[in-house]
Amino acid sequence: MKEEDRAILEQNFQAKIDNDIRIEPNDWMPDAYRETLIRQISQHAHSEIVGMLPEGNWITRAPNLRRKAVLLAKVQDEAGHGLYLYSATETLGADREDTIDDLHSGKAKYSSIFNYPTLSWADMGAIGWLVDGAAIMNQVPLCRCSYGPYARAMVRVCKEESFHQRQGFEIMMTLAKGSPEQKAMAQDALNRFWWPALMMFGPNDAESKHTAQSMKWKIKRHTNDELRQQFVDVTVPQAELIGLTVPDPDLKFNEQTGHYEYGEINWDEFWQVVKGNGPCNKERVDARRKAKEDGLWVREAATAYAAKKKLRKQAS
Ligand code: BYC
């Protein structure tokens, strides 16, 4: 393609974005836009699938039938989110198997938060409240993402995340007004998940290599720090309401700005976890690899069945 033709295509593409016209799979798009979306959406899909593991770990130990049914439904929702998102990457020409192989080889990232262990039942509350709460903060603006299939997938995902956040908060609220041991369990879960939840939003704006371009393309509508601040502002009063203490001695409300100021995030810890050196990285990826290996017979049987059906159809 000639240089000037490409320049016109790029101009028209950016003009559509500037006018909030959605980009659809068959529309022309710059290679870098396609690659950014495949990177972000596939990593998002992996996060949903890996995110099933820390909570799946507690399904058999839920304290009663209601809690078990709710947790089971939530974990199944995450599988659904992963599947919509893998489908969205396919609309961009990505091969689902390749993206999954990238997760298993350690090439693709997934959210840092899922590399922390779930040590008590209260962690189910903390994950729903904080992790799904952070996910909603990040994903509601993605419903207005410039790429149509991703934006539309996010609408349903956000509705379900909203139920997840409420179920988590309800677990925390119940524990916080329970026995002293239950309240201590809730506080311990908050202590362990607070900082990793803040890290979910990604590096500081100054360190975020993709934000500027992704904002120009309206893939991202807010920066990492803007969303993190919104999350802190919404969540701190919720902790206060149920009598729990946010584990940040530097946390204070600034009357002038109307925002909470919070302490320094441990960025060394964040990058270590992102690089694969978190407490559970190896366990999580091994579990996904094993699931694929264990499912081989199902895929083989399905392929054989489909081939046999085709032969029968041809013969009749
Ligand atoms: N963990 O330039 P930046 C869920 C990477 S699922 C690991 O700011 P970007 C749920 C980043 O990928 C929640 N890596 O990047 C599921 C980049 O590396 P690469 C998942 C991270 O893309 C089950 C590098 O750091 N949500 O909610 O502009 C149960 C530089 O970062 C992280 C999504 O995926 C991290 N926390 O912004 C319960 C939402 N942060 O790719 C709940 C969609 C950054 O260059 N994704 N990195 O190798 C996004 O909104 C954006 O991709 C991010 C990062 C805000 C995450």
Side-chain angles (χ1 to χ4, degrees):
M1 189 190 297
K2 277 198 252 155
E3 208 43 51
E4 54 268 34
D5 291 344
R6 172 171 295 276
I8 293 172
L9 283 172
E10 288 210 3
Q11 262 173 27
N12 291 346
F13 169 82
Q14 190 60 49
K16 267 169 122 177
I17 293 198
D18 295 342
N19 287 302
D20 283 325
I21 299 170
R22 287 259 163 84
I23 307 299
E24 295 298 337
N26 292 330
D27 294 345
W28 185 88
M29 61 185 86
D31 291 344
Y33 177 81
R34 189 186 297 278
E35 281 155 20
T36 295
L37 281 168
I38 293 176
R39 175 187 64 80
Q40 176 168 325
I41 303 173
S42 62
Q43 292 182 2
H44 191 166
H46 301 329
S47 304
E48 301 283 356
I49 299 298
V50 176
M52 296 168 73
L53 297 169
E55 290 178 286
N57 177 35
W58 277 90
I59 292 172
T60 53
R61 291 176 286 167
N64 59 45
L65 186 59
R66 181 172 85 89
R67 295 285 184 206
K68 185 174 178 135
V70 173
L71 184 61
L72 198 57
K74 177 193 191 293
V75 174
Q76 284 174 340
D77 285 350
E78 310 300 356
H81 300 173
L83 297 182
Y84 308 145
L85 291 165
Y86 285 127
S87 299
T89 62
E90 286 174 321
T91 68
L92 290 154
D95 182 281
R96 184 183 297 222
E97 286 306 309
D98 289 347
T99 60
I100 293 173
D101 288 345
D102 285 346
L103 169 71
H104 295 175
S105 71
K107 189 175 156 207
K109 297 190 166 74
Y110 58 89
S111 186
S112 47
I113 190 78
F114 302 117
N115 293 307
Y116 291 86
T118 42
L119 304 177
S120 76
W121 171 252
D123 290 6
M124 298 305 97
I127 290 185
W129 174 37
L130 303 175
V131 176
D132 289 84
I136 296 169
M137 213 46 105
N138 166 273
Q139 290 170 15
V140 165
L142 290 175
C143 298
R144 292 190 299 119
C145 164
S146 57
Y147 186 59
Y150 191 25
R152 288 189 287 275
M154 278 302 114
V155 174
R156 174 158 174 187
V157 169
C158 285
K159 285 186 183 154
E160 291 175 350
E161 298 292 20
S162 174
F163 144 64
H164 300 167
Q165 193 273 351
R166 279 159 188 238
Q167 68 88 34
F169 188 64
E170 200 239 354
I171 291 175
M172 290 302 261
M173 201 163 62
T174 308
L175 291 173
K177 60 179 185 208
S179 65
E181 289 82 1
Q182 286 170 319
K183 185 169 182 185
M185 205 201 296
Q187 182 63 52
D188 173 60
L190 172 58
N191 292 349
R192 284 180 290 107
F193 277 93
W194 175 254
W195 291 103
L198 295 194
M199 293 175 196
M200 282 178 74
F201 294 94
N204 274 335
D205 291 351
E207 303 291 325
S208 165
K209 59 180 171 183
H210 299 296
T211 295
Q213 183 59 70
S214 289
M215 298 274 283
K216 189 163 177 239
W217 280 331
K218 295 189 181 168
I219 293 174
K220 286 169 91 162
R221 296 278 183 162
H222 302 282
T223 70
N224 299 352
D225 286 335
E226 283 167 5
L227 292 172
R228 194 171 4 251
Q229 184 66 56
Q230 272 183 33
F231 174 76
V232 172
D233 289 345
V234 165
T235 312
V236 171
Q238 292 173 350
E240 282 167 359
L241 184 76
I242 58 176
L244 297 182
T245 307
V246 172
D248 178 357
D250 297 324
L251 188 75
K252 60 173 186 292
F253 187 69
N254 183 324
E255 296 285 347
Q256 258 119 47
T257 61
H259 295 294
Y260 283 91
E261 290 169 2
Y262 53 91
E264 185 62 27
I265 291 173
N266 183 343
W267 292 114
D268 286 343
E269 176 182 324
F270 170 73
W271 289 115
Q272 280 302 322
V273 175
V274 170
K275 277 191 224 145
N277 304 324
C280 301
N281 294 60
K282 186 172 175 320
E283 188 183 325
R284 300 293 186 237
V285 176
D286 284 352
R288 291 312 311 156
R289 245 190 250 124
K290 183 171 183 304
K292 186 164 181 189
E293 283 158 17
D294 290 352
L296 180 63
W297 71 272
V298 179
R299 293 192 297 281
E300 284 176 348
T303 312
Y305 177 73
K308 205 167 167 191
K309 211 167 152 194
K310 201 171 162 194
L311 279 178
R312 258 203 230 122
K313 215 171 169 189
Q314 280 166 356
S316 65

